[in-house]
Each structure stands twice: as structure tokens, then as C-alpha cells.
Amino acid sequence: ALEEAVYLILSEMKEDGVIYAELRFAPQLHTQKEMTQETAIHAALRGLKRTPIPGNLILCCMRGDLNQKENLETLELAKKYLVEDGGVVAIDLAGAEALFPTENYEALFAKAREYQVPFTIHAGEAGGAAEVACAIEMGAARIGHGVRSYEDPAVVRMIREKGIFLEMCPTSNRITKAIPDMKVYPLREYLSQGIRVAVCTDDMAICRTELKKEFEYLKKLVGLTEEEKVQILKNTKEGAFL
């Protein structure tokens, strides 16, 4: 099922005009019926080999208070299967940001730095700008969402000066109310300040979206121009982990 899911998702993305994608999932969430994390990763890798467009995998560690062992296993497997392209290219930290602060995971990501495993961290969605700053200080090259960075101008400067990429997901942010008033969605403001913004879908099934719809939404919402769209796509290419 995991193999088929990877194949089908990338097939749908091809129809949407996508030419390269990085899919993220948490192997530890597939172990409830005795499948191992490694078996889950093998299945996803088999799916990649069948795909109609190039794709890579980002393995998610999960925020929580009882899964340190599982997160460490995810990292160890990411190190084992890490490639420059055509497989596992990075790890992530996902889950309940407001309940489990980013600083709790310093030891995990210190080991990721030691292993030279690239990573992105979900931050600045349910949590504020301080979570984004913490993720960057821990070594994240990209920030999942980062939409609330504007709450602290110093954090915005940090993002720009360090060349951090923001993986922004407008439809998801509307659904989760990460931004109470989408009329002031900060994407264009970030772009104008030289921040390397990427437009992403978050969970396409839950959000009922695809990349093309995200760009159409931004055009309607904030008047995104074709020039800005091109810049966003250039940012996306530069920020890819391959």
C-alpha cells in the first residue's frame, strides 16, 4: 500500500504539471501492526522506482513525549539510506508544535548535524516566531510553514540573512487558522524582503488541493503576479534537497 501510495501521489502530481517532488512521511506511524520503520521505508523507495516524475523522500520525526526511541530510529535509518538523489534526502520534525516545543529536539538534530543528514523543521505555524528562530539555530535549512515569522522582525531578518527557505502552504494555513485573516497573508511581504519562499501543498488529501490550485488561490488572495510565481519556482528549485 505504501509503495502504491508513492506511485499514485507522484502520478497525480505529474498531471498537475509538477516535474520534481519531495514526499514526506513518518515511518514510525506505520509500525502499529508490527511492520518496522525500515520495511516502511523500503516500500516507499520501491514506489519511487516506479514513478513517472523524479521524486525523493523526507522522513518525518514526530513531536511527542513518549517517542524519543522511535525518532532516533528514524534518524539512524535516514543516515543509512541517505542519497543525493533517488531516495531518502532529508529528515523533518512534524506534529503538535504548540504542545512540544522545538527546543526539546536539540539532541536529535545535533546528531543529525553530526551525521550530515539535511533537515527541515515544521515551525511557526501553531507556534510563533520563536519556534522558527529555534529551528534555524538548530541547523534547519528549510522551515515547514514559517508563516508566523512576521511576529518578530528579528526572526524575519535571520531568515533572510541565512538564506532559509520557507515552505508556505496557504490552503493549509487557512484551514488550521494559523493566520486568522488570510487577507493579510504574509507571502508577498516575505518575497519583497528577499526571503526565499516556496509554495507547497502540505497534505493534499486533507487540504483537497494541488500545487496549481495553491498558485491560483494566491493570485486571487493577494494578487500574486507571474513574475513572483517565477521567483517562487526558482526558490523551490534552489531549496530542493537533491
Side-chain angles (χ1 to χ4, degrees):
L2 286 169
E3 176 186 342
E4 190 71 5
V6 170
Y7 169 75
L8 290 173
I9 290 166
L10 288 168
S11 297
E12 289 180 6
M13 285 182 166
K14 181 183 179 183
E15 292 180 12
D16 188 34
V18 173
I19 60 170
Y20 168 76
E22 292 172 356
L23 305 183
R24 67 188 83 200
F25 80 113
Q28 66 187 258
L29 299 183
H30 295 278
T31 61
Q32 296 174 13
K33 295 185 178 180
E34 299 182 4
M35 185 164 68
T36 66
Q37 289 199 45
E38 191 162 23
T39 300
I41 293 167
H42 283 168
L45 290 172
R46 287 197 305 273
L48 278 186
K49 287 183 170 61
R50 297 171 48 203
T51 56
I53 61 171
N56 283 311
L57 301 177
I58 299 173
L59 305 183
C60 290
C61 299
M62 297 300 297
R63 296 177 189 263
D65 53 5
L66 299 173
N67 64 329
Q68 293 92 338
K69 179 182 175 184
E70 288 81 359
N71 281 341
L72 186 58
E73 182 181 357
T74 301
L75 173 58
E76 294 289 344
L77 289 167
K79 178 190 175 189
K80 179 177 179 178
Y81 290 101
L82 189 70
V83 293
E84 290 186 356
D85 193 16
V88 175
V89 292
I91 63 168
D92 185 17
L93 177 65
E97 178 189 7
L99 297 178
F100 304 102
T102 305
E103 64 182 6
N104 294 2
Y105 303 89
E106 169 57 41
L108 178 70
F109 287 99
K111 191 168 282 290
R113 294 194 302 271
E114 177 189 333
Y115 288 168
Q116 297 185 312
V117 175
F119 56 91
T120 177
I121 293 179
H122 277 68
E125 182 193 18
E131 294 294 307
V132 175
C134 182
I136 294 171
E137 288 164 359
M138 281 164 46
R142 294 172 10 189
I143 299 293
H145 296 287
V147 67
R148 289 175 57 185
S149 301
Y150 68 88
E151 294 175 354
D152 186 342
V155 174
V156 175
R157 283 196 303 274
M158 178 190 292
I159 293 168
R160 182 179 65 249
E161 290 169 3
K162 291 183 176 290
I164 304 300
F165 294 87
L166 298 186
E167 309 161 350
M168 296 185 70
C169 310
T171 299
S172 173
N173 294 157
R174 185 191 72 231
I175 291 170
T176 63
K177 296 181 170 56
I179 296 292
D181 183 1
M182 290 297 290
K183 292 177 183 176
V184 293
Y185 195 66
L187 181 141
R188 287 190 80 190
E189 181 183 344
Y190 291 159
L191 267 180
S192 69
Q193 294 183 52
I195 290 176
R196 301 202 275 188
V197 171
V199 171
C200 305
T201 56
D202 207 341
D203 189 306
M204 294 189 299
I206 291 174
C207 297
R208 294 289 189 265
T209 192
E210 55 193 20
L211 200 58
K212 191 180 298 181
K213 288 182 180 178
E214 294 297 320
F215 279 108
E216 290 170 353
Y217 179 40
L218 285 168
K219 184 176 181 180
K220 180 179 178 182
L221 181 68
V222 297
L224 191 75
T225 67
E226 283 299 309
E227 291 77 13
E228 289 169 328
K229 179 179 177 181
V230 169
Q231 184 58 54
I232 288 169
L233 292 172
K234 286 180 178 178
N235 293 342
T236 306
K237 183 181 77 167
E238 292 169 6
F241 280 126
L242 82 167

